[in-house]
Amino acid sequence: DVSTVADTLEEVEPDFQARLLESMPDEKVADVLEEMAPDEAADLLAEFSQDRSKELLNLMEREDADDVRKLLTYPIDTAGGLMNTEFVAVQPALSAAETIASLRTTATEAETIYYVYVTEPNGKLVGVFSLRELVMAEPATPIRDFMHKRLVAVKLDDSQEDVAQAVSKYNLLAVPVVDGDGRIQG
């Protein structure tokens, strides 16, 4: 099925992915791309000709295609080109219990959840906490009371070396990518 194909393809290099999908009908390839994480789909589309990539994007569901198009606008060796747009963000007024309930319904699309990001309504990143911190918090505690306000983040145009240094220096499992206004993008 399409989901199994997508999961399998995500485990091999993009050039090999492209070779495997060369003979597949575009409609089927578009279905596979929709099932893949946006960053993986963008890497795969970069292996196809510009015309085929454009056609495949047009065949995809609008929301999925928009996520992939966004990633394709950034050079591949920058934070924007490397980021995953499927992350978990919540508002600071939620309690720990409300956040857990929210994650159960909204976090199904996230590829991995190491951290939960806290944003203002405009998307500006204002805090972060781990799942461990969330689970250990008293249910009624507002997340603003235990979130970390001193943030490590990278900018969209930071090089992959800058990203790697931030991850290594601060021993992070993931690092948020923000735009010039501090809004989280991935």
Side-chain angles (χ1 to χ4, degrees):
D1 65 42
V2 171
S3 181
T4 303
V5 171
D7 289 344
T8 304
L9 285 175
E10 287 181 344
E11 301 303 321
V12 298
E13 291 298 315
D15 60 329
F16 186 59
Q17 292 172 347
R19 287 198 306 267
L20 290 172
L21 297 178
E22 278 177 338
S23 60
M24 227 184 241
D26 284 354
E27 293 79 13
K28 180 83 167 185
V29 175
D31 290 341
V32 170
L33 289 167
E34 289 171 357
E35 290 294 318
M36 295 175 77
D39 58 322
E40 296 284 346
D43 291 345
L44 175 54
L45 281 172
E47 296 293 325
F48 292 127
S49 70
Q50 191 170 359
D51 289 340
R52 185 161 192 216
S53 291
K54 188 174 185 178
E55 181 60 33
L56 290 168
L57 283 165
N58 288 335
L59 291 171
M60 291 172 66
E61 295 290 329
R62 181 180 176 94
E63 186 177 325
D64 294 325
D66 287 348
D67 283 345
V68 174
R69 278 188 185 98
K70 177 181 175 182
L71 290 170
L72 288 170
T73 63
Y74 304 108
I76 198 159
D77 60 347
T78 64
L82 296 169
M83 71 182 174
N84 183 336
T85 57
E86 296 174 342
F87 58 90
V88 179
V90 295
Q91 302 289 303
L94 291 178
S95 69
E98 291 168 329
T99 301
I100 291 171
S102 174
L103 293 179
R104 285 189 180 115
T105 59
T106 62
T108 58
E109 292 295 313
E111 184 177 328
T112 55
I113 306 173
Y114 298 117
Y115 306 111
V116 178
Y117 300 103
V118 184
T119 60
E120 293 177 347
N122 67 0
K124 184 174 181 176
L125 182 64
V126 294
V128 64
F129 57 89
S130 69
L131 287 180
R132 180 185 189 288
E133 291 166 320
L134 175 62
V135 170
M136 297 305 291
E138 289 295 323
T141 305
I143 59 174
R144 74 167 59 89
D145 289 355
F146 62 87
M147 71 180 190
H148 300 276
K149 296 173 181 107
R150 290 187 55 215
L151 301 167
V152 175
V154 295
K155 300 258 198 271
L156 286 164
D157 58 353
D158 284 353
S159 72
Q160 61 186 356
E161 290 82 17
D162 292 339
V163 174
Q165 285 178 355
V167 168
S168 176
K169 179 177 180 181
Y170 297 101
N171 197 28
L172 300 172
L173 299 171
V175 63
V177 180
V178 297
D179 65 14
D181 295 323
R183 293 185 305 256
I184 190 167
Q185 304 295 306

